[in-house]
Amino acid sequence: MTEFEADLVVRSVEPAADGVVALTLAREDGRDLPEWTPGAHIDLILGEGLVRQYSLCGRTGDRARWRIAVLAVPEGRGGSVRVHSLAAGETVRVRGPRNHFPVVASRRYLFLAGGIGITPLLPMIREVAAAGADWELYYGGRSRASMAFTRELAGDRVHLVPEDSHGRLDLDAILGVPRPGTLVYACGPEGMLAAVEQRCATWPPGSLHLERFTPRAVTGDPGHSFEVVLAHSGRTLPVHPERSIFETIRAAGVSVLGSCLEGICGTCETEVIDGEIDHRDSVLDDEERASNEVMMICVSRCKGSRLTLAL
């Protein structure tokens, strides 16, 4: 199935918090956009070599428009600055949606958001609340003014924790005692996610679900040479330590889709037919990695001497 890609019109640009803008995107002719599920993100193609991923944070039932929210990062790589320069009426190339952070059915949920990490959790909360599940949200930010969508989050299930007045999220208190039957969904800065992972190590397997905005640190062997076999054509390509599988395949003239090239967006996910994967992405969970069925070819490699891919 071909992935949706089109030029969408920016219908509105509104401040969502200090340094955060919310954009509403729609088709120029008003036709429905593709369906999506909570946790999904889209690519914004902002220029040559400038592709960024943003979580959809509107309502899944609204097929006429998509909403994203973007934090300005002036010292970043240019994506957020470009988004913040967009005005209503302009068009932007969009690809997706895709979802590597889906909601798993459960009776109880614990949501943890840090800053702009609230965006994928908003539609999740709506969905689980509509299903009658028990849920709770802890939402931390630098200040109340910097925390987006607080007006959409109300009630005794929501705990807003601005750092300037309340300090940081007390993860020891929140996660210190495992809660069997409760799923934890977390999104935010890498430091927060690493701390959440550490505290959830004693929780039942499969309890924790994360989405990262930046790739996790990879330690150990920088890599070795190996071969990649493209099953559909029978070609065998050598992959050297200084090149990724994605770069090697592209250089050989084979069309493969990629976006972030950092192992965080899932665009380059590829089926593995044979061989042992050295997973280095920030998308797959432990169970998915152990299955040895798919890999992100932009960063992951081979533990042995050969991989056979369904390409």
Side-chain angles (χ1 to χ4, degrees):
M1 183 175 167
T2 303
E3 190 172 48
F4 173 80
E5 184 173 332
D7 291 322
L8 299 186
V9 177
V10 180
R11 295 297 189 197
S12 66
V13 180
E14 301 174 347
D18 287 351
V20 179
V21 294
L23 275 69
T24 301
L25 308 171
R27 282 179 159 173
E28 190 168 11
D29 58 11
R31 286 187 298 149
D32 281 354
L33 291 162
E35 293 180 340
W36 60 281
T37 53
H41 67 265
I42 55 174
D43 293 342
L44 261 57
I45 304 170
L46 302 165
E48 185 65 33
L50 190 60
V51 181
R52 296 293 182 267
Q53 293 74 42
Y54 299 107
S55 297
L56 291 169
C57 59
R59 297 185 179 274
T60 55
D62 187 353
R63 298 286 301 280
R65 60 190 63 82
W66 283 343
R67 182 178 72 168
I68 61 172
V70 180
L71 171 68
V73 186
E75 70 278 10
R77 297 174 298 161
S80 69
V81 172
R82 176 71 184 103
V83 172
H84 275 246
S85 74
L86 292 171
E90 290 189 64
T91 60
V92 61
R93 192 75 175 171
V94 176
R95 184 168 59 215
R98 67 184 71 91
N99 196 346
H100 290 276
F101 192 38
V103 180
V104 177
S106 179
R107 290 181 298 173
R108 292 187 299 275
Y109 297 88
L110 176 58
F111 296 101
L112 303 172
I116 199 63
I118 190 61
T119 51
L121 303 186
L122 266 180
M124 290 185 182
I125 290 170
R126 293 193 195 101
E127 179 170 283
V128 304
D134 185 19
W135 64 273
E136 196 172 15
L137 167 68
Y138 288 86
Y139 178 13
R142 295 188 312 278
S143 66
R144 180 68 178 255
S146 73
M147 297 166 68
F149 305 122
T150 54
R151 291 185 181 180
E152 298 183 25
L153 297 162
D156 56 8
R157 297 174 187 262
V158 176
H159 309 279
L160 302 180
V161 188
E163 186 176 345
D164 61 353
S165 59
H166 292 69
R168 295 187 177 184
L169 292 175
D170 187 350
L171 297 178
D172 287 327
I174 299 168
L175 299 170
V177 178
R179 307 185 201 177
T182 297
L183 297 184
V184 179
Y185 278 79
C187 186
E190 179 57 30
M192 169 192 149
L193 297 185
V196 169
E197 281 186 308
Q198 182 182 32
R199 287 159 178 81
C200 283
T202 58
W203 283 54
S207 297
L208 179 59
H209 301 261
L210 300 177
E211 181 167 66
R212 285 180 155 86
F213 293 140
T214 56
R216 73 170 103 201
V218 177
T219 59
D221 180 12
H224 60 274
S225 294
F226 57 93
E227 292 182 334
V228 165
V229 179
L230 308 184
H232 294 171
S233 66
R235 296 179 66 182
T236 299
L237 305 174
V239 181
H240 302 292
E242 70 278 4
R243 296 192 94 174
S244 68
I245 297 174
F246 180 89
E247 291 170 329
T248 300
I249 293 174
R250 272 281 182 91
V254 179
S255 178
V256 285
L257 193 62
S259 184
C260 73
L261 304 186
E262 294 181 311
I264 58 174
C265 76
T267 306
C268 68
E269 181 178 310
T270 302
E271 181 184 350
V272 178
I273 297 173
D274 188 47
E276 191 175 3
I277 307 164
D278 178 5
H279 290 288
R280 301 185 178 198
D281 66 276
S282 301
V283 176
L284 301 176
D285 60 29
D286 290 342
E287 185 176 343
E288 290 168 325
R289 290 179 174 213
S291 74
N292 207 67
E293 294 176 350
V294 297
M295 69 185 299
M296 306 303 155
I297 59 173
C298 67
V299 292
S300 296
R301 303 185 68 80
C302 177
K303 287 186 176 180
S305 59
R306 175 175 289 198
L307 281 174
T308 302
L309 306 179
L311 293 173

